[in-house]
mmCIF file of all heavy atoms in Angstrom:
data_model
loop_
_atom_site.group_PDB
_atom_site.id
_atom_site.type_symbol
_atom_site.label_atom_id
_atom_site.label_comp_id
_atom_site.label_asym_id
_atom_site.label_seq_id
_atom_site.Cartn_x
_atom_site.Cartn_y
_atom_site.Cartn_z
ATOM 1 N N ALA D 47 -21.750 2.401 -2.458
ATOM 2 C CA ALA D 47 -22.883 3.183 -3.060
ATOM 3 C C ALA D 47 -23.681 3.907 -1.980
ATOM 4 O O ALA D 47 -24.008 5.035 -2.156
ATOM 5 C CB ALA D 47 -23.757 2.294 -3.928
ATOM 6 N N ASP D 48 -23.964 3.174 -0.950
ATOM 7 C CA ASP D 48 -24.649 3.711 0.204
ATOM 8 C C ASP D 48 -23.870 4.855 0.819
ATOM 9 O O ASP D 48 -24.414 5.974 1.131
ATOM 10 C CB ASP D 48 -24.965 2.657 1.281
ATOM 11 C CG ASP D 48 -25.996 1.686 0.831
ATOM 12 O OD1 ASP D 48 -26.746 1.976 -0.119
ATOM 13 O OD2 ASP D 48 -26.063 0.621 1.484
ATOM 14 N N GLN D 49 -22.519 4.687 1.002
ATOM 15 C CA GLN D 49 -21.722 5.676 1.594
ATOM 16 C C GLN D 49 -21.690 6.952 0.652
ATOM 17 O O GLN D 49 -21.762 8.135 1.086
ATOM 18 C CB GLN D 49 -20.326 5.209 1.799
ATOM 19 C CG GLN D 49 -20.158 4.228 2.949
ATOM 20 C CD GLN D 49 -18.835 3.667 3.141
ATOM 21 O OE1 GLN D 49 -17.989 3.697 2.245
ATOM 22 N NE2 GLN D 49 -18.510 3.127 4.315
ATOM 23 N N LEU D 50 -21.610 6.726 -0.681
ATOM 24 C CA LEU D 50 -21.588 7.870 -1.626
ATOM 25 C C LEU D 50 -22.908 8.630 -1.551
ATOM 26 O O LEU D 50 -22.917 9.828 -1.495
ATOM 27 C CB LEU D 50 -21.422 7.317 -3.013
ATOM 28 C CG LEU D 50 -21.439 8.325 -4.168
ATOM 29 C CD1 LEU D 50 -20.360 9.354 -3.970
ATOM 30 C CD2 LEU D 50 -21.424 7.705 -5.543
ATOM 31 N N LYS D 51 -24.044 7.920 -1.392
ATOM 32 C CA LYS D 51 -25.321 8.589 -1.240
ATOM 33 C C LYS D 51 -25.360 9.450 0.061
ATOM 34 O O LYS D 51 -25.796 10.591 -0.018
ATOM 35 C CB LYS D 51 -26.457 7.568 -1.216
ATOM 36 C CG LYS D 51 -27.818 8.195 -1.236
ATOM 37 C CD LYS D 51 -28.910 7.145 -1.295
ATOM 38 C CE LYS D 51 -30.224 7.814 -1.295
ATOM 39 N NZ LYS D 51 -31.348 6.727 -1.343
ATOM 40 N N GLN D 52 -24.888 8.919 1.128
ATOM 41 C CA GLN D 52 -24.812 9.665 2.391
ATOM 42 C C GLN D 52 -23.944 10.902 2.245
ATOM 43 O O GLN D 52 -24.260 12.005 2.710
ATOM 44 C CB GLN D 52 -24.281 8.754 3.529
ATOM 45 C CG GLN D 52 -25.269 7.743 3.904
ATOM 46 C CD GLN D 52 -24.652 6.741 4.971
ATOM 47 O OE1 GLN D 52 -23.527 6.913 5.279
ATOM 48 N NE2 GLN D 52 -25.461 5.759 5.361
ATOM 49 N N TRP D 53 -22.793 10.760 1.637
ATOM 50 C CA TRP D 53 -21.891 11.957 1.415
ATOM 51 C C TRP D 53 -22.542 13.002 0.481
ATOM 52 O O TRP D 53 -22.350 14.213 0.718
ATOM 53 C CB TRP D 53 -20.581 11.511 0.872
ATOM 54 C CG TRP D 53 -19.663 10.914 1.942
ATOM 55 C CD1 TRP D 53 -19.295 9.671 1.983
ATOM 56 C CD2 TRP D 53 -19.060 11.667 3.065
ATOM 57 N NE1 TRP D 53 -18.438 9.456 3.104
ATOM 58 C CE2 TRP D 53 -18.312 10.607 3.705
ATOM 59 C CE3 TRP D 53 -19.106 12.924 3.434
ATOM 60 C CZ2 TRP D 53 -17.570 11.000 4.836
ATOM 61 C CZ3 TRP D 53 -18.246 13.284 4.570
ATOM 62 C CH2 TRP D 53 -17.593 12.333 5.236
ATOM 63 N N GLU D 54 -23.250 12.539 -0.511
ATOM 64 C CA GLU D 54 -23.895 13.502 -1.413
ATOM 65 C C GLU D 54 -25.028 14.272 -0.579
ATOM 66 O O GLU D 54 -25.183 15.514 -0.756
ATOM 67 C CB GLU D 54 -24.522 12.803 -2.552
ATOM 68 C CG GLU D 54 -23.490 12.316 -3.576
ATOM 69 C CD GLU D 54 -24.137 11.481 -4.656
ATOM 70 O OE1 GLU D 54 -25.270 10.940 -4.525
ATOM 71 O OE2 GLU D 54 -23.444 11.318 -5.693
ATOM 72 N N GLU D 55 -25.740 13.525 0.259
ATOM 73 C CA GLU D 55 -26.718 14.256 1.126
ATOM 74 C C GLU D 55 -26.114 15.255 2.063
ATOM 75 O O GLU D 55 -26.600 16.363 2.270
ATOM 76 C CB GLU D 55 -27.559 13.160 1.871
ATOM 77 C CG GLU D 55 -28.475 12.367 1.018
ATOM 78 C CD GLU D 55 -29.124 11.220 1.751
ATOM 79 O OE1 GLU D 55 -28.841 11.008 2.979
ATOM 80 O OE2 GLU D 55 -29.900 10.454 1.159
ATOM 81 N N LYS D 56 -24.955 14.883 2.639
ATOM 82 C CA LYS D 56 -24.263 15.759 3.586
ATOM 83 C C LYS D 56 -23.703 16.990 2.764
ATOM 84 O O LYS D 56 -23.813 18.076 3.282
ATOM 85 C CB LYS D 56 -23.108 15.018 4.184
ATOM 86 C CG LYS D 56 -23.535 14.032 5.272
ATOM 87 C CD LYS D 56 -22.345 13.383 5.861
ATOM 88 C CE LYS D 56 -22.748 12.287 6.891
ATOM 89 N NZ LYS D 56 -21.610 11.586 7.488
ATOM 90 N N PHE D 57 -23.227 16.749 1.573
ATOM 91 C CA PHE D 57 -22.698 17.820 0.707
ATOM 92 C C PHE D 57 -23.841 18.776 0.494
ATOM 93 O O PHE D 57 -23.673 20.032 0.485
ATOM 94 C CB PHE D 57 -22.112 17.304 -0.492
ATOM 95 C CG PHE D 57 -21.502 18.339 -1.446
ATOM 96 C CD1 PHE D 57 -20.390 19.102 -1.102
ATOM 97 C CD2 PHE D 57 -22.161 18.566 -2.670
ATOM 98 C CE1 PHE D 57 -19.950 20.080 -1.930
ATOM 99 C CE2 PHE D 57 -21.659 19.512 -3.507
ATOM 100 C CZ PHE D 57 -20.632 20.253 -3.187
ATOM 101 N N SER D 58 -25.015 18.245 0.096
ATOM 102 C CA SER D 58 -26.226 19.139 -0.253
ATOM 103 C C SER D 58 -26.568 20.021 0.926
ATOM 104 O O SER D 58 -26.794 21.169 0.837
ATOM 105 C CB SER D 58 -27.300 18.215 -0.703
ATOM 106 O OG SER D 58 -28.419 19.072 -0.968
ATOM 107 N N ALA D 59 -26.554 19.334 2.121
ATOM 108 C CA ALA D 59 -26.968 20.062 3.349
ATOM 109 C C ALA D 59 -25.936 21.195 3.657
ATOM 110 O O ALA D 59 -26.201 22.261 4.055
ATOM 111 C CB ALA D 59 -27.072 19.127 4.585
#
Side-chain angles (χ1 to χ4, degrees):
D48 288 342
Q49 288 176 342
L50 177 63
K51 185 176 179 182
Q52 290 174 0
W53 281 110
E54 286 173 343
E55 289 171 359
K56 288 179 182 179
F57 178 69
S58 177

